[in-house]
Amino acid sequence: MNPNAKKSYSTLDTPCLILQEDLLIKNLSLFQGLANANNKKLRPHIKAHKSIELAKIQIEKGAVGICCSKLAEAEIMVEGGIKDILITSPIVGNTKLDRLGNLSQQATISVVTDSKPQIMILSELAKQYQTVINIFVEIDIGQARCGVQPGLGAFEIAQEIIKYPNLSFSGIQAYHGKLQGIKSFKERANAIDTAMAKLSASLHYFKNGQLPVKTITGGGTGSFLIDLKLPFLSELQPGSYVTMDCNYSQNEWDDEGSLELISQPLSVLSTVISKPQPNKVILDAGWKSISNDAGTPKLKYGLDSFDFAGDEHGVITSSKEYIDLEIGDQVELIPSHCDTTINLYDHFYLVNTYQHRKLAIDARGKIT
Ligand SMILES: Cc1ncc(COP(=O)(O)O)c(C=O)c1O
């Protein structure tokens, strides 16, 4: 039998998301344990898993709170009982500000900014909602997205924040997403050094101006093992480590080139619906069930290769004359990008040796 064929999930309707419980818990424990051992606070990003239940497990294990990318994700998490959230993208516009004011009355909410004029707006909001808003100043350490340029800018914004009694200067956010996926450990570590030099150029002004920076938050799954040893970062925000994906699982995790350290609990289960040729089968999963922004998924047991064949179809073609998969067989695919794939589903199936159950992806599609 082709090792790609999977019979044991035959009661699950496909395509669906599988999360293998033992591997999931292993990843959660590994990252929390490493953070503890290195005196770093862990504030995992939930933008990939979007699940209240998983966020709660992360907090039970010792996370100080969570990160969300979007206000709508944070609203769902607060509704689910999460009490401490950093929203890692700037909140702009009256509608969103009203929602932020409301949310700040229900939980400890921190936001990021890179704009001096935005500070007065946030202070007005805090006044209107009789709350205190915690603000991190974002510095662009190479991501070339949001963030003030390294240098004096962050200090100037922080000075503005401390003028207002209803705002709290909580620290700095310094995140560099582009280097997370550099496969070679050494090259990734060098790229992080360069990014940290940019952060250091900004911290210099805080030191001279005697303005304490309580927390410096940043980092992701790819940089985690390197970030643990960095003196500057006090709080780490990895997200993908929970479920992983086939792009991240190609990263080397140490100098020895180890690929196995972080487990791969996530897969998409799909069914063979047609066998048009002896060496080719068609699956019931296409672009609507597995994202393609970071490339094609990989077959879990890796013998053959998958390709997209439309919105609802995928194809496996063997280089041999015959493929040992039949109509009705199930196949597991590892997505290339966990965030964009998980966002296509309402729930995972959490599976262990004995049973499976639904685990809600509560903030799925919450993009505002
Ligand atoms: C600001 C921020 N922090 C942390 C993360 C988590 O990164 P990763 O999924 O690589 O762990 C992301 C992901 O995009 C992010 O945007």
Side-chain angles (χ1 to χ4, degrees):
M1 187 177 150
N2 187 324
N4 283 315
K6 186 92 198 175
K7 294 279 187 194
S8 58
Y9 299 135
S10 56
T11 56
L12 299 185
D13 208 354
T14 66
C16 65
L17 275 185
I18 302 273
L19 206 46
Q20 217 174 300
E21 190 169 13
D22 54 343
L23 301 183
L24 165 81
I25 299 298
K26 214 167 136 193
N27 286 352
L28 295 177
S29 303
L30 175 71
F31 271 51
Q32 188 62 58
L34 285 169
N36 294 348
N38 289 277
N39 288 320
K40 299 287 186 197
K41 287 185 274 175
L42 189 67
R43 181 180 288 277
H45 216 302
I46 63 86
K47 71 188 274 294
H49 68 63
K50 288 174 169 270
S51 150
I52 295 167
E53 186 173 335
L54 293 183
K56 283 185 171 167
I57 298 175
Q58 288 174 308
I59 289 168
E60 272 163 31
K61 284 188 173 291
V64 293
I66 58 166
C67 294
C68 293
S69 266
K70 296 290 188 156
L71 193 51
E73 291 171 349
E75 286 167 338
I76 294 287
M77 292 294 143
V78 168
E79 224 175 282
I82 307 292
K83 295 278 174 230
D84 189 332
I85 299 178
L86 164 62
I87 304 172
T88 59
S89 304
I91 308 288
V92 171
N94 288 343
T95 310
K96 282 200 174 61
L97 287 169
D98 273 337
R99 289 165 56 200
L100 173 64
N102 260 314
L103 207 61
S104 297
Q105 291 177 328
Q106 300 168 51
T108 303
I109 304 292
S110 307
V111 295
V112 300
T113 191
D114 56 7
S115 149
K116 215 166 157 185
Q118 205 62 17
I119 302 306
M120 211 210 306
I121 296 172
L122 288 169
S123 169
E124 287 297 315
L125 183 75
K127 200 160 125 196
Q128 185 190 341
Y129 282 86
Q130 297 183 337
T131 180
V132 171
I133 297 180
N134 308 304
I135 306 182
F136 283 81
V137 179
E138 178 158 32
I139 299 175
D140 178 10
I141 55 166
Q143 168 85 347
R145 203 165 60 183
C146 299
V148 281
Q149 290 309 298
L152 183 61
F155 179 66
E156 286 179 335
I157 297 177
Q159 276 185 313
E160 186 70 14
I161 297 170
I162 60 173
K163 283 186 194 161
Y164 297 96
N166 50 12
L167 299 181
S168 163
F169 170 56
S170 302
I172 286 170
Q173 174 168 273
Y175 170 74
H176 193 331
K178 286 183 185 162
L179 51 73
Q180 302 294 326
I182 299 175
K183 305 292 170 223
S184 147
F185 179 81
K186 273 199 191 120
E187 283 173 28
R188 200 161 66 252
N190 287 338
I192 290 168
D193 268 356
T194 309
M196 284 304 128
K198 294 183 178 169
L199 174 60
S200 173
S202 296
L203 292 181
H204 161 80
Y205 292 95
F206 286 86
K207 199 169 169 207
N208 279 358
Q210 296 187 332
L211 179 53
V213 180
K214 278 184 270 177
T215 301
I216 303 180
T217 186
T221 299
S223 60
F224 187 75
L225 290 144
I226 300 156
D227 296 337
L228 288 171
K229 306 290 175 198
L230 295 177
F232 296 143
L233 287 187
S234 48
E235 184 180 276
L236 304 181
Q237 321 179 338
S240 301
Y241 75 102
V242 179
T243 62
M244 290 293 282
D245 54 41
C246 72
N247 278 355
Y248 253 143
S249 64
Q250 287 165 36
N251 269 14
E252 294 172 0
W253 297 115
D254 58 24
D255 263 339
E256 318 277 282
S258 155
L259 299 174
E260 306 295 328
L261 184 74
I262 312 174
S263 306
Q264 178 57 66
L266 180 74
S267 61
V268 170
L269 186 68
S270 171
T271 301
V272 175
I273 53 169
S274 170
K275 189 166 185 179
Q277 292 166 25
N279 70 337
K280 179 172 162 179
V281 293
I282 306 298
L283 302 180
D284 63 354
W287 291 304
K288 282 187 185 165
S289 357
I290 314 174
S291 65
N292 192 30
D293 56 291
T296 49
K298 287 206 165 22
L299 283 155
K300 184 160 178 178
Y301 300 104
L303 279 190
D304 309 296
S305 65
F306 171 92
D307 212 348
F308 287 98
D311 296 336
E312 289 89 7
H313 297 84
V315 57
I316 306 176
T317 314
S318 172
S319 54
K320 304 203 176 103
E321 282 179 6
Y322 181 78
I323 187 164
D324 195 6
L325 283 170
E326 300 304 330
I327 291 177
D329 279 350
Q330 290 181 328
V331 169
E332 280 181 83
L333 302 155
I334 314 288
S336 56
H337 190 182
C338 53
D339 301 58
T340 45
T341 297
I342 293 169
N343 197 43
L344 298 169
Y345 291 84
D346 293 325
H347 55 80
F348 302 98
Y349 280 104
L350 188 67
V351 305
N352 61 36
T353 319
Y354 309 104
Q355 59 194 7
H356 60 257
R357 70 170 172 90
K358 285 183 182 176
L359 193 157
I361 302 168
D362 309 271
R364 175 257 165 109
K366 299 295 175 193
I367 53 165
T368 61

